[in-house]
Amino acid sequence: MRGETILIVEDEVKIANIIQEYLEDSGFKTVCIENGLDVSDWVQQHPVDLILLDIMLPGKDGLQVCKEVRAFSQVPIIMLTAKVEEIDRILGLELGADDYICKPFSPRELVARVKALLRRSALRMESQKVEDWQMDEERYQVRYQGKTVSLSMVEFAILKLLSASPGRIYSRSNLIGSIYPDNRVVSDRTVDSHIKKLRHKLAEELTQKELIYSVYGVGYKFEFPA
Ligand code: CA
């Protein structure tokens, strides 16, 4: 028995039942919610290891629900969609979904994706625990392996976002959106220049090992040193 709890948010009872059956056969515990309005409250009150989240829901759509949950939780989320044209929006990382599956899907494929994402997220949590990475919100300082570096407010915000999800790729617009919540217009080059300074400070004062990586044509990601 695996024992992880998977929350299935799906209003089509037939589909929810099939998913539930396959997941339980694979050793997972499952909970089903049919209405988008109830999800955030439930997640705040119950431990859950992964959410399968349909987009078309009564009450509140899955995209909104995903954003809401991300405001307080890093629980892995897989979106379910019947519309290919929604994939771009799902992949817009500001939403915070980890993966998506198009309907109709094979239940076996779905179970495989659930397992893969759980594995990824366990590794992510492990690396966060193992490393003694500490961010001091009041002083904009980062401590790592006995060393401390002081950052500007913006550099600190960038590093905080990137390091919260090691390995996850953020586009420049994702970074801008998270760092400047007031929707001000900031160019990609501004982000690049903050990252450049940030990398320089980290290399000078914290560790010689690379922490922030450029992903060609996409953006940036953070990885703890191996
Ligand atoms: Ca639906």
Side-chain angles (χ1 to χ4, degrees):
M1 287 293 280
R2 300 182 56 105
E4 290 109 324
T5 300
I6 315 293
L7 173 61
I8 303 162
V9 185
E10 167 64 272
D11 57 313
E12 290 158 80
V13 176
K14 252 190 201 168
I15 296 179
N17 286 345
I18 293 171
I19 297 175
Q20 190 165 25
E21 193 177 309
Y22 267 82
L23 286 173
E24 291 187 352
D25 283 350
S26 304
F28 295 103
K29 292 179 194 134
T30 60
V31 178
C32 292
I33 295 180
E34 291 178 23
N35 192 306
L37 291 171
D38 306 328
V39 180
S40 283
D41 280 351
W42 194 90
V43 174
Q44 268 170 327
Q45 288 160 29
H46 303 82
V48 59
D49 297 293
L50 186 144
I51 303 176
L52 289 167
L53 183 54
D54 187 36
I55 292 188
M56 294 280 284
L57 293 169
K60 192 177 275 182
D61 76 48
L63 299 170
Q64 266 178 289
V65 173
C66 183
K67 263 192 176 166
E68 255 180 40
V69 170
R70 268 295 167 269
F72 63 87
S73 168
Q74 286 303 310
V75 60
I77 298 177
I78 299 178
M79 306 294 296
L80 305 177
T81 177
K83 294 185 193 160
V84 177
E85 59 268 26
E86 279 173 337
I87 293 172
D88 278 349
R89 283 178 73 199
I90 298 170
L91 287 180
L93 291 172
E94 68 272 15
L95 199 65
D98 297 279
D99 200 359
Y100 69 92
I101 295 175
C102 284
K103 290 176 176 177
F105 50 81
S106 94
R108 201 171 297 177
E109 161 79 4
L110 180 134
V111 171
R113 299 277 277 278
V114 165
K115 287 180 180 169
L117 181 53
L118 284 171
R119 225 166 17 240
R120 266 185 0 242
S121 103
L123 284 172
R124 197 163 76 192
M125 280 163 59
E126 193 52 37
S127 75
Q128 276 166 307
K129 268 185 239 161
V130 167
E131 309 297 338
D132 58 341
W133 181 262
Q134 291 179 313
M135 301 199 74
D136 183 337
E137 309 255 357
E138 281 164 20
R139 296 177 185 80
Y140 301 135
Q141 287 181 339
V142 181
R143 277 183 287 282
Y144 181 61
Q145 297 183 337
K147 291 185 176 174
T148 301
V149 60
S150 296
L151 303 173
S152 72
M153 195 172 77
V154 171
E155 291 160 354
F156 188 90
I158 292 172
L159 189 58
K160 188 182 163 201
L161 181 68
L162 292 175
S163 65
S165 302
R168 180 161 157 191
I169 300 163
Y170 288 85
S171 70
R172 289 172 180 80
S173 53
N174 295 151
L175 290 170
I176 293 167
S178 308
I179 297 156
Y180 303 103
D182 55 355
N183 291 326
R184 81 174 77 169
V185 180
V186 179
S187 75
D188 287 355
R189 282 167 72 180
T190 308
V191 175
D192 290 345
S193 114
H194 284 305
I195 296 253
K196 194 177 164 192
K197 280 186 211 151
L198 175 57
R199 278 173 153 166
H200 184 72
K201 284 187 188 175
L202 295 176
E204 288 269 284
E205 295 176 58
L206 209 60
T207 173
Q208 293 288 330
K209 291 174 188 155
E210 199 67 67
L211 294 169
I212 296 171
Y213 294 81
S214 306
V215 181
Y216 184 74
V218 187
Y220 294 98
K221 65 174 181 174
F222 176 96
E223 297 269 28
F224 283 110

